[in-house]
Amino acid sequence: MSFMEATGHRRIAVYRTPLDKAPSWRIRAGEIDPVLAQSFSVSARCGCFMQAARRLNLKATVLRKQLAQLEAQLQCALFSPSDNGVVLSRDGLQLQSQLIALAHERDLPVIQQPLVRLAVAESILHDILGRDLVALLRRNASVRLDIISLDSELSLQAVSADVVVWLASADTPLPGPSFAISEPRRLALLDYLPHIAKRYSRVASRPDSLDDLADFLLVQWQHDRQVENFRPWNQLVDQRLAGVVQLHSYELMLEMVRCSACIGLLPGYMSRFDRGLIGLPELFGQSMQRQVWMAVNADSAGEAQVQRLVELVQNTFNERREWFEG
């Protein structure tokens, strides 16, 4: 065969790049359920699953299930293991950028949380309800809660709230709030006793009569001066020419009893709240008592958030029932 022999026409194969059949991240982001998208976005923004769960008012296990569902749907890992909290993977960064880009295009409603107002007697807020309210906020970071401290009958009359917890004389809830309320319910009966820190008073030297108080410093919360049921204690304080400290802060008064060898009038449950304190029941022959009452604003009593707050207060007192007995 001659090398110059003409050959037939040859077809040249055209090179084709492989097609990526996976949809773009923008399309994939637009198809994600809004609830899952929000769970991912908040987790990425907070950098902590626990904080994201609080922000979304979810249990952490529920949030992790939602994120696992999203990863299964997208068939990729959105987070990478790290010692410094939550770190987005390369795919997670892609998804986050697309969700941010789509944020203005999506019509995601912003759910406004209702404002719930809780008014509480200052001593009850500090000693009994404070810890459970903190736990509530740890579980639900999106709550809108206005906590008002009541330190006098005047503040009780002036306050406007959804739930009110106050102290009154031992036989009636009056005077109560000035606005329309539901039927008041009694939460507890409190006995009040002079208290002293154990470390400043040995058993043999603890005072057991009013005459023994001459060598002790007395501390009084100013609010208690207006309480008729505390007349025996108030008369003792008023008769003092020296060795008396008057305070407008309940917390500071309590701290002085703990740390300054002072004797102060405190609720009988205080030795359970702080085991470093002990009551002195022998000093007064007359009992000094007050009752804790709760009522709900008649206009907002049916709201779910208000009802949950009422249940929290009631459950707290039920759990501490032994504090108020005996």
Side-chain angles (χ1 to χ4, degrees), residues 16-80:
R16 299 182 184 271
T17 59
L19 295 177
D20 184 3
K21 297 182 180 180
S24 68
W25 272 107
R26 186 170 183 81
I27 295 176
R28 298 165 78 181
E31 295 174 346
I32 295 175
D33 181 90
V35 173
L36 298 182
Q38 184 184 35
S39 296
F40 168 78
S41 297
V42 173
S43 298
R45 187 169 64 248
C46 292
C48 172
F49 291 129
M50 290 297 296
Q51 176 61 23
R54 288 194 292 267
R55 176 64 183 85
L56 295 166
N57 193 22
L58 296 172
K59 292 184 178 180
T61 53
V62 175
L63 175 61
R64 296 298 292 266
K65 287 180 180 179
Q66 290 181 347
L67 296 176
Q69 178 184 347
L70 180 59
E71 289 182 331
Q73 175 183 330
L74 297 176
Q75 297 182 347
C76 64
L78 298 175
F79 300 95
S80 299

Side-chain angles (χ1 to χ4, degrees), residues 122 219-223 246-256:
E122 185 172 347
V219 58
Q220 182 181 46
W221 184 29
Q222 281 287 80
H223 168 59
Q246 304 277 357
L247 293 169
H248 289 269
S249 168
Y250 175 80
E251 188 172 0
L252 182 57
M253 184 269 289
L254 181 57
E255 192 65 17
M256 293 195 71

Side-chain angles (χ1 to χ4, degrees), residues 11 52 55 62 96 117 133 155-156 180 203 208 225 234 236 248 254 263 275 318:
R11 299 183 61 185
R55 176 64 183 85
V62 175
Q96 183 186 40
R117 298 160 299 169
L133 287 172
S155 63
L156 174 61
V203 176
D208 55 12
R225 293 179 59 85
N234 290 332
L236 173 66
H248 289 269
L254 181 57
I263 293 179
R275 298 190 182 279
N318 290 340

Side-chain angles (χ1 to χ4, degrees), residues 218-282:
L218 303 185
V219 58
Q220 182 181 46
W221 184 29
Q222 281 287 80
H223 168 59
D224 289 345
R225 293 179 59 85
Q226 312 302 323
V227 180
E228 179 63 24
N229 288 17
F230 295 165
R231 180 180 295 181
W233 169 262
N234 290 332
Q235 288 178 344
L236 173 66
V237 173
D238 290 340
Q239 292 168 3
R240 278 290 184 101
L241 300 179
V244 175
V245 179
Q246 304 277 357
L247 293 169
H248 289 269
S249 168
Y250 175 80
E251 188 172 0
L252 182 57
M253 184 269 289
L254 181 57
E255 192 65 17
M256 293 195 71
V257 176
R258 286 170 172 158
C259 305
S260 302
C262 295
I263 293 179
L265 188 68
L266 295 169
Y269 60 72
M270 191 52 65
S271 59
R272 294 180 181 270
F273 177 78
D274 186 337
R275 298 190 182 279
L277 301 179
I278 186 170
L280 304 171
E282 299 86 4

Side-chain angles (χ1 to χ4, degrees), residues 102-143:
L102 289 171
H104 298 291
E105 301 175 14
R106 287 189 170 187
D107 187 19
L108 293 177
V110 177
I111 301 176
Q112 179 178 354
Q113 296 292 326
L115 175 64
V116 181
R117 298 160 299 169
L118 171 65
V120 189
E122 185 172 347
S123 59
I124 300 300
L125 178 61
H126 180 274
D127 300 344
I128 300 176
L129 290 177
R131 183 176 298 178
D132 285 353
L133 287 172
V134 170
L136 170 67
L137 300 181
R138 291 182 64 185
R139 294 191 305 269
N140 185 0
S142 63
V143 69

